[in-house]
Amino acid sequence: MEHHLNAQQAIGAEEDRLLFAVDAQVTEKQQACWTVLIVDDEPEIHQITLLALRDFSFLQHKLKFISAYSAAEARHILQHNKDIALILLDVVMETDDAGLVLVRYIREQLQNQLVRIILRTGQPGQAPEQRIVLDYDINDYRAKTELTVQRLTTSVVSALRSYIAIRQLADLNEHLEQQIQTRTEQLQSTNQQLQHSLAELEAGEKAGKQVQFKMLPPAIFNYAGYQFSHVLYPSEFMSGDFVDYFCVDQHKVVFYIADVSGHGVASAFVTVYLKRFISSLLERYQRDGSASVVDPAAVLTQLNKELLKDKIGKYIALFYAVLDTQTAELTYANAGAFPWPLLLQPQEQQQQHYLELKSTPVGMFDFASYHNQQLVLQQNSSLVLCSDGILDLLPQQNTEQKLQYLLQQSYQHKDIADLLRALAIDPEQQLPDDLTILKLTRQQST
């Protein structure tokens, strides 16, 4: 008894010195005591163990013992008890290696990596320590003859410390896995909502495209010996380019080509703004004779003021012109549209050139000014207007070469479809920018 008390005092002193900080919430809520499974076919070993550890306390928790007298019985207990912290396991029981087989069962089949295992054997020579420690996932290996009260207590303390550390790590991993699962579920839910929103957005863009394209004029418009034609290919569902031509009265036709900065939905909204702005000028002209709609410079100046006043946040490169079908006179003004308009005269006149009109887009500067220019469109002459998206599709290295190539091909090909084929442009492919072409031709009089 005296030896037992001295051993307990020594272990108590060792605990005070070696105990590390353990989360009190984990130890107190985890269990009220440490559960120890004794697996041995000798009843005396059970009694001795209970006697040696009856006063044991670790972190203010006592030990709770469960006894199994065979490896088979231990298997049943382990299957139904997940809170066992420590197993004191005999090697030789039903068979010479029953304890070792049980270790493999615990680690490999039950997948229990948490429980600590101390092997105890009465026949050390039959299961050499070095081989056992290397081949089996155990935490200590002791001969029964050397397990004094002190050594047994020390082994139990060491095993419980290891159990706490691994349990905390396992709890942390479980908590992280739960967080990951929760976050994954949230991401999946968010992704589903995003996919739904994208589907709605795509449906809205398709509807917007239909509305925008309904605002366009007919693809080919013949009037009083002149032909207007156009194509418009957006790089996305909706376009930042726009084109229009319409009769103002019996002898005047307005036409324009516009390229809003950027592309997509936001720029497409500005084309609606532009269409409504010019429509309002047309209504005023038809209602009270206000002539601004047939004055290109006045249209650009007024539009520039409105865009800046409304703080649209976009600017528009715009070429605006009025054709008098009686005199063939063309009055036009440019607001930063590039490439410049291409004037294609009959072959005998050999006058194919750009109408170079350097200026700034509307909606950019409040000090911008715009001026009208005039020319007479000869018979069989054409005017070709392109948005800058066409330059991105030409193979030449610099802008000057691109412009020269575009001029040559435009003169040689009479309609827009032929021109696109000559330029090797396939509008059905994904375009880097919106592409628009407008062509006006004065036809040969009969």
Side-chain angles (χ1 to χ4, degrees):
M1 177 63 80
E2 182 179 355
H3 173 74
H4 174 73
L5 293 175
N6 289 338
Q8 289 295 341
Q9 290 172 355
I11 293 300
E14 185 181 359
E15 282 187 22
D16 292 339
R17 182 172 62 85
L18 296 178
L19 279 180
F20 59 95
V22 179
D23 187 353
Q25 191 174 23
V26 172
T27 59
E28 291 176 8
K29 291 186 178 181
Q30 178 178 306
Q31 53 189 25
C33 58
W34 308 111
T35 302
V36 178
L37 174 62
I38 304 172
V39 186
D40 202 297
D41 59 352
E42 298 182 44
E44 295 84 359
I45 296 299
H46 290 259
Q47 295 172 5
I48 293 171
T49 303
L50 293 174
L51 181 62
L53 299 175
R54 64 182 179 181
D55 295 325
F56 179 89
S57 176
F58 181 66
L59 296 178
Q60 300 178 350
H61 286 69
K62 294 287 188 177
L63 298 181
K64 171 187 175 183
F65 294 97
I66 301 175
S67 289
Y69 296 92
S70 68
E73 186 180 354
R75 287 190 182 203
H76 179 76
I77 293 171
L78 287 164
Q79 289 173 357
H80 298 87
N81 194 324
K82 307 299 183 184
D83 294 327
I84 295 175
L86 172 63
I87 301 175
L88 299 174
L89 177 60
D90 190 13
V91 175
V92 181
M93 291 179 287
E94 304 100 305
T95 62
D96 290 345
D97 62 349
L100 301 178
V101 174
L102 181 61
V103 171
R104 288 277 170 83
Y105 172 79
I106 293 169
R107 299 305 193 201
E108 296 175 6
Q109 295 190 40
L110 293 183
Q111 291 291 309
N112 188 340
Q113 311 302 325
L114 185 60
V115 65
R116 303 293 85 196
I117 302 175
I118 298 175
L119 273 183
R120 300 192 296 182
T121 180
Q123 306 173 42
Q126 190 165 346
E129 179 177 354
Q130 183 176 1
R131 183 178 66 83
I132 297 302
V133 171
L134 290 175
D135 294 346
Y136 294 86
D137 185 3
I138 62 173
N139 306 102
D140 204 352
Y141 183 87
R142 297 290 181 182
K144 292 180 181 179
T145 56
E146 69 174 350
L147 276 178
T148 63
V149 173
Q150 181 174 345
R151 287 186 178 179
L152 179 58
T153 306
T154 301
S155 295
V156 171
V157 169
S158 177
L160 291 178
R161 283 204 184 101
S162 177
Y163 174 80
I164 290 172
I166 295 175
R167 183 59 180 265
Q168 287 179 324
L169 182 59
D171 289 345
L172 177 59
N173 287 338
E174 183 179 356
H175 178 65
L176 290 175
E177 288 176 0
Q178 289 176 349
Q179 286 187 319
I180 291 172
Q181 182 178 355
T182 300
R183 183 57 178 159
T184 300
E185 291 173 353
Q186 291 174 346
L187 289 174
Q188 290 175 342
S189 176
T190 301
N191 185 56
Q192 289 176 352
Q193 293 176 1
L194 178 60
Q195 293 298 326
H196 180 68
S197 298
L198 288 175
E200 289 185 338
L201 179 60
E202 183 175 333
E205 287 180 337
K206 289 181 178 179
K209 179 179 180 179
Q210 291 179 345
V211 172
Q212 185 182 35
F213 273 63
K214 283 183 178 179
M215 297 191 306
L216 294 172
I220 297 177
F221 172 60
N222 292 294
Y223 184 77
Y226 295 85
Q227 183 181 84
F228 295 84
S229 60
H230 82 275
V231 295
L232 190 156
Y233 301 105
S235 59
E236 298 180 6
F237 280 107
M238 301 178 70
S239 174
D241 284 3
F242 196 71
V243 62
D244 202 4
Y245 33 79
F246 54 88
C247 293
V248 174
D249 56 32
Q250 187 176 357
H251 303 297
K252 290 185 177 65
V253 180
V254 165
F255 64 96
Y256 62 89
I257 184 172
D259 184 359
V260 180
S261 57
H263 46 79
V265 176
S267 298
F269 286 154
V270 181
T271 66
V272 176
Y273 179 100
L274 172 64
K275 172 73 173 181
R276 182 64 191 130
F277 173 82
I278 294 177
S279 295
S280 67
L281 296 181
L282 176 61
E283 291 170 2
R284 289 173 54 189
Y285 179 81
Q286 294 173 339
R287 184 177 63 249
D288 55 25
S290 176
S292 58
V293 72
V294 292
D295 183 344
V299 171
L300 299 183
T301 299
Q302 187 174 344
L303 179 60
N304 185 59
K305 291 179 181 179
E306 292 296 323
L307 288 172
L308 292 172
K309 181 185 71 175
D310 294 339
K311 298 180 180 179
I312 298 297
K314 295 276 188 180
Y315 56 86
I316 308 173
L318 177 65
F319 178 86
Y320 188 96
V322 179
L323 171 67
D324 188 322
T325 57
Q326 280 188 319
T327 63
E329 185 176 63
L330 199 65
T331 302
Y332 57 92
N334 189 40
F338 187 82
W340 300 299
L342 272 166
L343 181 61
L344 309 176
Q345 301 279 30
Q347 187 172 2
E348 61 271 13
Q349 296 184 22
Q350 294 294 317
Q351 292 183 1
Q352 290 78 44
H353 63 277
Y354 287 97
L355 303 178
E356 297 189 17
L357 302 166
K358 297 181 179 180
S359 56
T360 57
V362 290
M364 183 175 285
F365 302 116
D366 58 1
F367 54 80
S369 60
Y370 304 97
H371 307 283
N372 288 330
Q373 306 287 333
Q374 283 86 27
L375 64 84
V376 174
L377 198 63
Q378 304 296 324
Q379 289 189 5
N380 290 332
S381 296
S382 296
L383 193 67
V384 178
L385 308 170
C386 304
S387 64
D388 63 359
I390 197 169
L391 299 179
D392 296 332
L393 300 170
L394 299 182
Q396 287 71 30
Q397 293 184 347
N398 58 56
T399 302
E400 184 176 350
Q401 292 173 343
K402 291 175 186 284
L403 292 175
Q404 186 61 34
Y405 181 68
L406 179 60
L407 177 62
Q408 293 172 353
Q409 296 299 324
S410 298
Y411 176 70
Q412 294 174 8
H413 297 85
K414 299 305 181 183
D415 61 43
I416 296 176
D418 287 341
L419 175 60
L420 289 175
R421 283 191 288 270
L423 296 174
I425 295 175
D426 182 2
E428 299 302 321
Q429 300 298 319
Q430 180 66 43
L431 300 175
D433 194 5
D434 302 326
L435 172 62
T436 305
I437 302 175
L438 166 62
K439 186 170 186 179
L440 163 62
T441 301
R442 182 181 179 187
Q443 299 168 331
Q444 179 72 42
S445 60
T446 56

